[in-house]
Amino acid sequence: MTDTRRPIEVGPLPTPVMAKTASPQRLRAAVARRRLFALLDAGAGKPVTLVCAGAGWGKTTLVSAWARTRPAPVAWLSLDRHDNDPQRYWSYVLAALRSAGALPPDHPLAALESVPADERERAALLTAGLSRLPDPTVLAVDDFHEIDDPQVLREMSDLLRHPPAPLRLVLISRVQPGLAAVRHLRAAGLLAEIRASDLRFTGEEAAALAHDHGLDLASSDVDQLVARTEGWAAGLHLGAGFLAGHGERAIADFAGDIRGIDDYLANEVLANRPAEERRFLLQTSVCERICAGLANAISGRDDSQRRLEQLEHDDDFVVRLGAKPLWFRYHHLLRDALAHRLTLEDPTAVAELHARAARWYAANDSVMEALNHAIAGGDWAYVGQIVATQGPGLILSAQQTALVKMLRRIPPEQTSATPELIFCSVVLLFHAGDYEAIPARIARARAMLRRQPDTASRRATEMTLFTAEMMAERAVGNMPAVIAVSTGLLGMLAAASDDGLATTQLRAVGLNHRGLAQLWAGRPGAAIRDLGAAASAARAAGVELAEINATGHLALLHALCGSVDEAGQLAAAARAVAEHRGWRYSLQAVPAHFAQALVELERHDLDAAQETLRQGIRAHHGNPEAAQRVVARGLEARLAAARGEHARARLFLDEARRDRSPALHAPTLDRWLALIEAETSLATGSAKEPDWPAETPDQDTPLALAQRVARARFAYAAHDLRGAEELLGHAPISTLSQTVATVTAGVLGALVADARGHGVRAVDLLREAVVLAAREGIRHPFVALAGSRLDDLAQRLRLLGGDTLFLDQMGRSGARPATGQSTSHGLSERESEVLHYLPTMLTAAEIAAILGVSVNTVKAHMRAIYRKLDAARRSEAVTVARRHGIL
């Protein structure tokens, strides 16, 4: 077959989404089947109508004709085998509803950018949104038999067990759908069904169909035709075509069942066509849907629009999709016959035709359709080229699962044939979580690229490899490598001097990766610059996921360093976009959730912190990232410590250190975990300081102030007042406000000053700390340092006319500020520490080991606790303590 490729048409062309959500139209009026319209009208009063029969029974024609009689638009979705992915399937459902006008601007699903990857969030979002549709909203889903993915079928069944009240679903299928809910609906009388026995043409309908073909048949001939075809719609159409214009033919000569369809279509529909028209039909049959631009690219012609409209006019087997003649499809029976005939007549042409279709789709940014045709044609080199140049954006999108399914169709022996195909194997490794195998594959691809000339295509592949390597190193937590690779990528982008959209998007991704790596590597100033630039670039390029991730990491940086107000604003902005777009449980939203949880911990809103942390862990679960996994365990430790569950806090800290990735290099995390360990030790009266990471003189080290304040707390606990004062008097340099550490330093400084006899200075320091804390709602330092001395200072501040409203509000909210009132039932500080271990499974000896005292001392404390709480045993003491709010 000669290559007749023409320049590919691009521009404002109809999209595949439009083709899938457009109701089939026919120029020739279909037979008005009023009795079946009545069945559909009656079925619209039930949640689901099932139109189920084999190929050619007129299911689609019937429902689309009925839809045009409805007073309100009917949403339409045509499925194919590529829709066996939950996110893809539900995305098209929403697109169909949107196309029909069923999702007004104020509807919660209207602005949804992509369907959530998380199954539970997806179900909750869809159930809530579909319940708010205009009542009634009819959605017709054609070719539902194409769906065999268990997850899609399960989610559909779950939805239909309690169907949204406004939704009326019409399922069109060749076979009984694999939906468990269908049996439930049928038993409950909530399912309307139209089967082949209903679709079978009556004599009157068959006579009307024959009349539409220019035939005036006697009633006996009509009866004979109906009997021969058994009322099968396709058979009747073919029979009428067989007889029309051929007076010498008899009904007895027509084979009316499906066995003769291929021969009939070959001998009647194709054989009588002009050679050019026949060739056009054969060539374009490789596509499930066709438009003029695609047909021109495949056939090498420039008159495809005219040909498609003429075919629609002349033949019932060519159907227009939608009101305008933009997209068309061939009837399944005709397309199957054409594909079979093409394989017999010109088998070598099939691959070339798919190649032309793939290139047209790729030029029109329909990557998945392009890949499908390239794979169907076995054009593996082009598959790699598509994925390397247009696929990176899909890796972290709603199309990820569908992309991976397609890439698994590449033969293993082909995955090392080109650098681009090696990248395809890297995508599969990334999806499988086999990050350690990725560097070797990338090195091999780069070695192959070095032997190629310096072209734009080679540079694009090199950038793609940089992106893949950067993401893989981020996944395992190798932050120095992420900084080096992202810097290399950004350098290539700068050298390319291309300000196109794709370049801006890639620059946003590169800046985001370098910024988050700078954060974990302990370079907050550089992190703020890169993450801010990344958020701006992502916003300009419309890459909202990258914007959410960059803004979330900025929030996390401020939260870790104690800049509560700034962190809260950034986290709220990122989470609002994620919520609005249906990305609450996406990996990109994880840092925003964790930042918000930290903000709530500093404000001592423990229930809110726990819920936000739960959301972050759930979002992180599906695609774990080494650094964020440590953050999750650290947050769990902080929350446990804030609740007084210090043994659990230590378990979480041990897990954070034990299960970390061997490649993880994140000094900021090491310092943060040491701070959590220090707080846990101080809360339990342990004098053992953690192994502090070294401070770097004259460098903006994150958490350096918090570390010095924690060391000062150890000095204060050891009654080394001078040492505590010296540590508090030398604040490290920082570009961040570090409000929490500043407030903690003020409260601790007040305690130290008071202990040294400087009462006036102590009250002044506490007043400043309270003013600063009230401004950002920071409560945690007052809870952590609560005790009789702080109670006395607060009382003095109140007597001197100081504003203690913030401390009083803390008391009313259930936190433990310095109020001068005790709810400890007379327990000493050491007894309170022992009490917090009683709900655990730890023995007295194990508690003694943790506290660094003898087992006899712990037993003595336990007896005192039982006496003061009027309890006879350990479990009863825990119950009493919880009832009185001590635990």
Side-chain angles (χ1 to χ4, degrees):
M1 178 176 178
T2 57
D3 187 346
T4 57
R5 291 183 197 165
R6 304 166 49 80
I8 293 174
E9 300 175 23
V10 294
L13 294 168
T15 66
V17 173
M18 182 190 301
K20 289 177 69 68
T21 58
S23 170
Q25 309 284 322
R26 291 181 182 273
L27 288 180
R28 182 183 298 170
V31 174
R33 309 187 73 186
R34 301 299 178 190
R35 63 184 181 88
L36 296 179
F37 285 5
L39 291 178
L40 287 166
D41 285 337
K46 298 183 178 183
V48 180
T49 298
L50 175 61
V51 183
C52 184
W57 277 99
K59 305 180 296 296
T60 302
T61 302
L62 168 67
V63 178
S64 60
W66 170 76
R68 290 192 289 276
T69 69
R70 299 287 295 173
V74 171
W76 189 277
L77 174 58
S78 298
L79 298 173
D80 56 55
R81 65 186 185 279
H82 305 302
D83 299 325
N84 279 288
D85 172 76
Q87 284 182 274
R88 185 180 175 94
Y89 173 84
W90 291 111
S91 293
Y92 278 130
V93 167
L94 296 184
L97 293 170
R98 193 175 290 115
S99 178
L103 298 180
D106 60 341
H107 193 277
L109 299 176
L112 198 66
E113 189 73 16
S114 67
V115 173
D118 181 85
E119 179 184 350
R120 286 179 292 174
E121 185 192 15
R122 185 166 59 239
L125 190 71
L126 289 168
T127 301
L130 295 177
S131 297
R132 291 181 56 183
L133 292 171
D135 191 6
T137 295
V138 179
L139 169 63
V141 182
D142 197 8
D143 294 328
F144 193 79
H145 55 269
E146 296 282 4
I147 300 300
D148 56 15
D149 180 77
Q151 182 68 26
V152 176
L153 294 173
R154 183 167 60 252
E155 291 183 17
M156 275 290 288
S157 276
D158 290 344
L159 179 74
L160 295 179
R161 287 186 190 280
H162 304 284
L167 183 64
R168 306 291 187 270
L169 193 63
V170 181
L171 293 179
I172 307 170
S173 179
R174 292 186 186 178
V175 298
Q176 177 75 20
L179 298 171
V182 166
R183 295 189 297 274
H184 164 76
L185 291 168
R186 184 182 291 122
L190 300 176
L191 176 70
E193 297 185 74
I194 298 176
R195 299 282 182 168
S197 58
D198 303 301
L199 294 167
R200 189 172 287 122
F201 269 63
T202 64
E204 183 181 348
E205 291 168 340
L209 185 148
H211 185 268
D212 287 345
H213 282 78
L215 296 171
D216 188 12
L217 299 179
S219 60
S220 59
D221 290 334
V222 171
D223 292 342
Q224 185 181 1
L225 185 60
V226 171
R228 194 160 191 81
T229 60
E230 298 183 358
W232 181 45
L236 286 167
H237 277 285
L238 295 174
F242 177 81
L243 297 171
H246 300 281
E248 72 284 0
R249 291 181 174 177
I251 294 174
D253 298 328
F254 174 64
D257 61 12
I258 198 165
R259 294 188 300 272
I261 288 296
D262 187 68
D263 288 340
Y264 174 84
L265 290 171
N267 297 327
E268 299 293 330
V269 177
L270 292 181
N272 295 326
R273 304 268 181 189
E276 287 190 356
E277 192 171 290
R278 184 177 186 277
R279 186 183 309 112
F280 178 85
L281 282 166
L282 289 170
Q283 290 175 332
T284 53
S285 69
V286 299
C287 295
E288 294 182 356
R289 300 171 187 83
I290 194 82
C291 69
L294 177 56
N296 285 342
I298 292 172
S299 65
R301 308 183 62 85
D302 57 10
D303 61 349
S304 295
Q305 184 67 40
R306 179 183 63 78
R307 284 193 177 277
L308 288 168
E309 291 189 37
Q310 188 64 43
L311 284 167
E312 180 202 9
H313 183 272
D314 295 344
D315 201 316
D316 286 334
F317 286 87
V318 179
V319 181
R320 182 204 308 174
L321 300 174
K324 297 180 179 179
L326 298 175
W327 283 90
F328 301 82
R329 69 167 174 82
Y330 301 153
H331 192 284
H332 300 300
L333 296 172
L334 175 61
R335 184 165 176 260
D336 290 347
L338 289 170
H340 178 61
R341 188 60 51 183
L342 179 63
T343 303
L344 292 177
E345 294 181 7
D346 195 0
T348 60
V350 176
E352 172 60 26
L353 294 170
H354 279 297
R356 296 177 187 176
R359 283 159 176 78
W360 184 87
Y361 273 119
N364 285 281
D365 296 324
S366 295
V367 180
M368 301 303 291
E369 287 78 9
L371 278 173
N372 179 53
H373 280 286
I375 290 170
D379 192 351
W380 305 116
Y382 191 59
V383 169
Q385 187 178 332
I386 295 172
V387 176
T389 56
Q390 295 179 267
L394 299 176
I395 295 174
L396 292 178
S397 75
Q399 300 274 31
Q400 183 193 69
T401 304
L403 174 66
V404 167
K405 283 183 179 179
M406 285 199 173
L407 296 187
R408 285 175 178 156
R409 294 161 63 186
I410 302 174
E413 65 273 12
Q414 292 288 338
T415 55
S416 297
T418 68
E420 292 80 10
L421 284 167
I422 291 176
F423 174 71
C424 293
S425 70
V426 167
V427 173
L428 292 176
L429 290 170
F430 189 89
H431 183 76
D434 189 1
Y435 307 115
E436 288 75 15
I438 290 176
R441 299 294 293 167
I442 290 177
R444 182 169 182 177
R446 285 192 174 128
M448 296 174 70
L449 281 174
R450 283 194 288 270
R451 297 193 292 270
Q452 295 182 4
D454 184 14
T455 61
S457 175
R458 171 185 160 174
R459 289 192 294 274
T461 302
E462 287 175 339
M463 290 183 194
T464 299
L465 291 174
F466 267 122
T467 305
E469 184 179 13
M470 182 174 67
M471 293 170 66
E473 297 292 4
R474 170 184 174 178
V476 298
N478 189 347
M479 299 307 162
V482 175
I483 293 171
V485 176
S486 56
T487 299
L489 172 63
L490 292 168
M492 284 195 70
L493 290 168
S497 64
D498 177 8
D499 292 326
L501 181 62
T503 300
T504 305
Q505 291 174 341
L506 204 53
R507 183 178 295 114
V509 173
L511 285 167
N512 183 41
H513 277 72
R514 191 169 69 180
L516 68 89
Q518 304 274 26
L519 157 62
W520 300 128
R523 305 170 187 172
I528 290 172
R529 288 191 297 273
D530 279 344
L531 291 171
S536 298
R539 196 176 304 116
V543 192
E544 287 183 308
L545 280 171
E547 180 186 354
I548 289 169
N549 198 243
T551 305
H553 275 100
L554 262 177
L556 191 54
L557 169 58
H558 284 283
L560 287 168
C561 294
S563 304
V564 174
D565 208 38
E566 183 71 16
Q569 293 179 34
L570 290 166
R575 296 177 80 221
V577 176
E579 183 76 25
H580 187 59
R581 295 300 193 192
W583 296 326
R584 179 195 294 177
Y585 296 112
S586 67
L587 181 67
Q588 289 80 6
V590 169
H593 291 315
F594 287 168
Q596 183 64 31
L598 273 169
V599 168
E600 288 156 350
L601 277 169
E602 301 302 352
R603 290 172 174 164
H604 206 69
D605 189 349
L606 303 188
D607 291 339
Q610 183 168 345
E611 171 58 22
T612 308
L613 175 57
R614 183 194 65 79
Q615 293 179 13
I617 291 173
R618 183 169 157 190
H620 185 250
H621 176 72
N623 201 346
E625 184 181 318
Q628 298 293 0
R629 186 162 55 244
V630 173
V631 175
R633 297 292 85 78
L635 279 168
E636 287 176 313
R638 274 212 60 182
L639 184 60
R643 294 191 185 279
E645 300 166 353
H646 303 298
R648 290 189 70 223
R650 285 194 172 92
L651 290 175
F652 284 127
L653 285 171
D654 290 343
E655 186 178 344
R657 288 164 171 151
R658 183 181 64 248
D659 297 339
R660 62 190 287 157
S661 163
L664 179 63
H665 179 80
T668 299
L669 283 178
D670 296 335
R671 192 179 300 274
W672 183 59
L673 292 178
L675 284 167
I676 299 172
E677 181 184 354
E679 183 155 340
T680 304
S681 296
L682 287 163
T684 55
S686 172
K688 185 180 183 300
E689 294 192 41
D691 296 326
W692 295 109
E695 291 185 40
T696 307
D698 302 323
Q699 182 175 327
D700 186 5
T701 305
L703 305 176
L705 176 59
Q707 179 176 315
R708 291 181 72 86
V709 173
R711 290 174 58 201
R713 287 184 62 189
F714 277 105
Y716 174 71
H719 306 290
D720 181 6
L721 301 180
R722 185 177 297 277
E725 200 167 54
E726 288 178 357
L727 285 164
L728 294 173
H730 298 87
I733 60 171
S734 178
T735 58
L736 298 163
S737 61
Q738 303 190 81
T739 318
V740 172
T742 305
V743 170
T744 309
V747 177
L748 181 60
L751 294 173
V752 171
D754 190 57
R756 299 193 69 190
H758 307 305
V760 175
R761 173 169 168 73
V763 172
D764 288 342
L765 287 171
L766 181 60
R767 179 187 291 109
E768 292 171 3
V770 169
V771 170
L772 184 57
R775 191 181 303 154
E776 300 193 20
I778 298 169
R779 295 177 172 84
H780 179 71
F782 299 94
V783 176
L785 292 167
S788 57
R789 187 179 294 278
L790 188 53
D791 290 351
D792 293 341
L793 274 174
Q795 183 63 20
R796 273 185 268 161
L797 177 61
R798 185 178 292 107
L799 292 172
L800 290 171
D803 186 0
T804 60
L805 177 63
F806 181 64
L807 296 179
D808 296 338
Q809 289 173 340
M810 285 178 64
R812 288 194 294 271
S813 69
R816 294 175 55 229
T819 62
Q821 297 178 358
S822 173
T823 58
S824 64
H825 283 241
L827 298 180
S828 69
E829 288 189 7
R830 182 61 82 180
E831 287 165 355
S832 295
E833 292 165 4
V834 172
L835 174 63
H836 282 97
Y837 286 96
L838 296 189
T840 71
M841 300 296 291
L842 297 174
T843 65
E846 290 170 332
I847 296 173
I850 292 172
L851 297 180
V853 297
S854 72
V855 67
N856 289 331
T857 300
V858 169
K859 289 180 178 179
H861 288 318
M862 291 171 70
R863 288 192 295 272
I865 291 169
Y866 299 164
R867 184 181 69 257
K868 293 177 181 180
L869 296 183
D870 194 21
R873 60 184 64 86
R874 181 170 175 169
S875 59
E876 187 178 350
V878 171
T879 300
V880 173
R882 283 177 171 158
R883 185 165 60 244
H884 291 284
I886 305 171
L887 276 177

